[in-house]
């Protein structure tokens, strides 16, 4: 068996709804993957986090099955979850689980598939988890760094370079926000004027990341479309945002479908400082929470000892 | 008197509606600018192209007046148009006129203003011409190259690097499309799904330009929002597009509000080849037309001998 680390990821990044994402150094899933001769995909859970283990409800099984189907293979695969990102946290928990299995299996089989192909298999897991086969968490989980899903027909993943000391704070208030719910409250139509603002900011964010221009990154991290709607599902959101921005974050918005909230910052030290200022907010609201401080993960999913 | 060249510009670039633009080496306005002691802004037209010369209807006068008002100056200025881009061509004719005057005056006064400040003055000319003070032609006309207008509050112009041999073909069918009309037919609301596709492509285009990745540039040059509506105002549009794409253009769409159509290509030679294939289209439609083939202008507005 080999041991795989698949990172948590932040999708959307304010102005990049459904297309941008980045990978974190922590938290992440740690999963052991091996071949078996039982001809079935077997998932064991030693992570301490409750996971659906029935094959049809488990994203890892579904993703691995998609890979095996493409190979027309009946290979048996064993997966053991050793460490698991909280489900429903909005930092790509289902993506990490979907990715870990196919990444490990691909390694064991001598890498028959490239990273973009692995994304397509893992997307089947996302489809199970959220009802839509999106890649904005899967892509950064596999590639690492910041990724753009330019489009799906065909799947086109673009790696976006970024300044080396870009760091991220995640605060995860432990309330339940289902991805399906947080999708259904989105407007079907948006004003063209708002869309223009949003794509101006997204273009600015991509340019800012590639230039390493922190001022431009900060000026671009706005979301006038999704954040105003989804933030209503997250108690304390505007407290967190105001506190993070006052403490010097480049920007702060909802991670994926929420409830986690991310702040981007220049340097790990600044990120740690902001995290400490956020700590009292959910304490005062009597909501359990977790805090993560991380540089951007530049490796993506990987084998670990 | 000094002589100023202000280039034609292509706004929107398919997926970058209202935010992206680029400058061409030709055509352009050539304008002489001088100071006078009459205390008035005097515009003479020796270009052979009909221009409104009443101060309240002339974009150059309005832009210069905005600059003088900021300086609280009553300085007299003389402007002589020697060469003029066709009005209503969709390649930034009003922007070039607005820019030429303020650029020349700024030079004569020892550069009291930076380029971004010049953009704000020239935007007053655009407001007169089209009813909205947009900067997507003004910015590339002044800065050269490819520019992003990230936002207006405050005005934030981002220079986007691009591969050195990027070239452009413009075909300008001489029909009248008023910018005000081509704005009024745009939808006020757009489907979120379409907006996501568009901003995925815009992010891809910016990344492709900055990486010098022609494949990504080509894959990103799509517009599912404005082109399907505005193309109805341009006879022959889909003939031009199909012909250009078959001949190897990276992408082809409407320049600004039209009726000009631009094709981006790799290399001037390819651009010239595409131009020749476009030539018969408007001949057969019995519509007068002009063709321009140009590399991207990397200098913007400049003093010429």
């Amino acid at each position: 068996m080999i041991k795989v680390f698949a990172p948590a990821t932040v999708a959307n990044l304010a102005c990049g709804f459904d297309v941008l994402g980045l990978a974190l150094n922590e938290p992440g899933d740690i999963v052991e993957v091996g071949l078996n001769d039982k001809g079935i995909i077997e998932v064991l859970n030693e992570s301490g986090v409750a996971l659906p283990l029935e094959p049809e409800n488990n994203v890892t099984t579904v993703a691995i099955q998609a890979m095996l189907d493409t190979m027309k293979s009946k290979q048996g695969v064993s997966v053991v979850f050793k460490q698991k990102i909280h489900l429903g946290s909005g930092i790509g928990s289902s993506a990490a689980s979907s990715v870990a299995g196919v990444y490990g299996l691909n390694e064991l089989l001598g890498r028959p598939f490239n990273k973009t192909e692995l994304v397509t298999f893992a997307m089947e897991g996302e489809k199970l988890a959220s009802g839509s086969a999106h890649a904005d968490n899967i892509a950064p989980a596999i590639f690492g760094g910041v990724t753009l899903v330019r489009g799906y027909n065909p799947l086109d993943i673009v790696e976006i370079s970024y300044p080396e000391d870009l760091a991220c704070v995640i605060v995860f208030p432990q309330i339940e926000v289902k991805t399906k719910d947080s999708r259904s409250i989105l407007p079907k139509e948006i004003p063209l004027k708002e869309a223009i603002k949003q794509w101006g900011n997204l273009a600015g964010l991509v340019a800012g990341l590639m230039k390493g221009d922190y001022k431009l990154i900060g000026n671009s991290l706005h979301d006038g479309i999704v954040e105003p709607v989804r933030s209503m599902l997250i108690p304390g959101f505007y407290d967190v945002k105001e506190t993070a921005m006052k403490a010097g974050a480049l920007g702060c918005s909802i991670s994926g479908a929420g409830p986690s909230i991310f702040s981007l910052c220049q340097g790990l030290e600044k990120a740690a400082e902001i995290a400490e200022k956020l700590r009292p907010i959910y304490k005062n609201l009597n909501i359990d929470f977790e805090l993560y401080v991380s540089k951007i993960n530049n490796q993506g999913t990987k084998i670990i000892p």
Side-chain angles (χ1 to χ4, degrees), chain A:
Chain A
M1 287 199 115
I2 56 172
K3 204 181 258 185
V4 179
F5 172 85
T9 45
V10 177
N12 300 348
L13 296 178
C15 46
F17 179 66
D18 262 9
V19 300
L20 270 195
L22 60 75
L24 300 171
N25 281 326
E26 57 173 311
D29 280 9
I30 295 176
V31 172
E32 288 177 349
V33 185
L35 305 178
N36 69 47
D37 51 14
K38 300 179 208 167
I40 57 163
I41 306 166
E42 190 177 56
V43 179
L44 292 176
N45 181 15
E46 301 175 357
S47 70
V49 173
L51 285 177
L53 293 182
E54 320 78 58
E56 68 278 16
N57 290 330
N58 184 283
V59 298
T60 310
T61 313
V62 167
I64 287 176
Q65 193 61 58
M67 180 167 161
L68 292 174
D69 288 349
T70 298
M71 302 174 75
K72 299 191 168 57
S73 164
K74 303 238 179 259
Q75 175 66 53
V77 184
S78 300
V79 177
V80 185
F81 274 92
K82 304 300 252 183
Q83 180 184 299
K84 183 74 206 91
I85 304 163
H86 277 270
L87 270 66
S89 51
I91 50 173
S93 176
S94 61
S97 295
S98 304
V99 161
V102 295
Y103 188 93
L105 180 56
N106 193 52
E107 291 293 309
L108 289 169
L109 299 176
R111 297 193 195 166
F113 298 107
N114 66 27
K115 287 184 174 181
T116 300
E117 288 166 326
L118 294 184
V119 171
T120 63
F121 304 137
M123 280 167 66
E124 293 303 310
E126 284 294 62
K127 198 172 169 183
L128 171 64
S130 74
S132 83
H134 60 283
D136 47 345
N137 289 99
I138 299 281
I142 290 184
F143 285 84
V146 180
T147 57
L148 164 71
V149 182
R150 188 199 55 80
Y152 287 91
N153 292 305
L155 181 64
D156 189 5
I157 292 162
V158 182
E159 295 185 76
I160 305 294
S161 61
Y162 55 92
E164 218 254 311
D165 57 345
L166 189 65
C168 189
V169 182
I170 300 286
V171 56
F172 164 39
Q174 295 188 17
I175 56 164
E176 195 180 7
V177 175
K178 286 195 173 152
T179 305
K180 279 180 194 173
D181 297 344
S182 73
R183 283 219 158 240
S184 66
I185 62 165
L186 295 180
K188 298 264 172 298
E189 304 244 316
I190 59 173
L192 177 58
K193 261 191 173 176
E194 277 302 320
I196 293 167
K197 270 192 210 169
Q198 195 92 348
W199 64 54
N201 280 322
L202 176 55
L205 179 56
V206 169
L209 288 166
M210 293 181 71
K211 287 172 184 242
D213 179 341
Y214 279 109
K215 185 162 180 249
L216 179 53
I217 293 171
N219 287 341
S220 304
L221 281 167
H222 300 290
D223 170 12
I225 291 170
V226 174
E227 181 184 297
V229 180
R230 283 190 171 167
S231 57
M232 293 185 295
L233 302 176
I234 307 171
F237 173 78
Y238 286 103
D239 270 357
V240 169
K241 180 159 179 154
E242 203 188 320
T243 305
M245 295 308 290
K246 269 191 187 160
L250 300 164
C252 174
S253 189
I254 302 164
S255 175
S260 284
I261 303 165
F262 78 93
S263 305
L264 281 185
C265 7
Q266 179 171 5
L268 207 50
E269 218 170 291
K270 173 58 81 181
E273 182 193 321
I274 290 170
E276 284 319 303
K277 295 207 168 137
L278 299 182
R279 195 177 288 280
I281 294 173
Y282 287 107
K283 235 180 217 167
N284 294 342
L285 289 171
N286 272 318
I287 295 173
D288 284 340
F289 66 98
E290 288 182 14
L291 271 171
Y292 303 101
V293 170
S294 171
K295 285 187 80 169
I296 307 312
N297 172 333
N298 61 10
Q299 288 192 287
T301 300
K302 61 182 177 183
I303 305 299
I304 56 172

